[in-house]
Amino acid sequence: MILRCRLCHAAIAAFDPADLTPPLTGAVFGPLEPGFPPPFDPEASFDDARCPFCRHHPQGYAPDSRDSLESDRGPLPVGQPAIRREAGKRTRKGGK
Ligand SMILES: [Zn+2]
């Protein structure tokens, strides 16, 4: 799939949704075309990633923006770190 910048909507990187397990690093994202350098530092946290076009974080800066990525197929949820599961306590029995 293609990662798009939430702020400038440019296509930035190619990635496999199966790799979206926190903590995300630049290594999850490859170049749009084989043979080009990766768009982000593979060893850096995705928090440090910057859109090559507008120089902002590809997910934007809204408080809940880190819960999803913009892709060519629309918003894609990112797996939640353990600490975030606490916020959405499941109180219903038998709920999925
Ligand atoms: Zn951008």
Side-chain angles (χ1 to χ4, degrees):
M1 294 176 77
I2 304 298
L3 172 70
R4 285 187 178 275
C5 175
R6 184 164 278 152
L7 299 179
C8 74
H9 307 290
I12 303 172
F15 67 98
D16 183 339
D19 292 336
L20 294 182
T21 46
L24 295 181
T25 65
V28 171
F29 302 94
L32 291 172
E33 305 264 353
F36 285 82
F40 309 129
D41 180 348
E43 303 198 347
S45 166
F46 186 60
D47 287 344
D48 294 331
R50 291 294 178 268
C51 170
F53 301 96
C54 69
R55 299 282 162 197
H56 291 289
H57 193 274
Q59 287 176 298
Y61 301 101
D64 57 353
S65 66
R66 301 302 168 94
D67 293 346
S68 65
L69 294 175
E70 287 299 318
S71 80
D72 55 335
R73 296 182 208 173
L76 190 71
V78 178
Q80 299 299 302
I83 200 167
R84 292 295 303 270
R85 282 190 202 128
E86 204 76 14
K89 278 182 187 169
R90 292 178 196 165
T91 51
R92 286 173 300 167
K93 283 186 179 176
K96 280 185 185 176

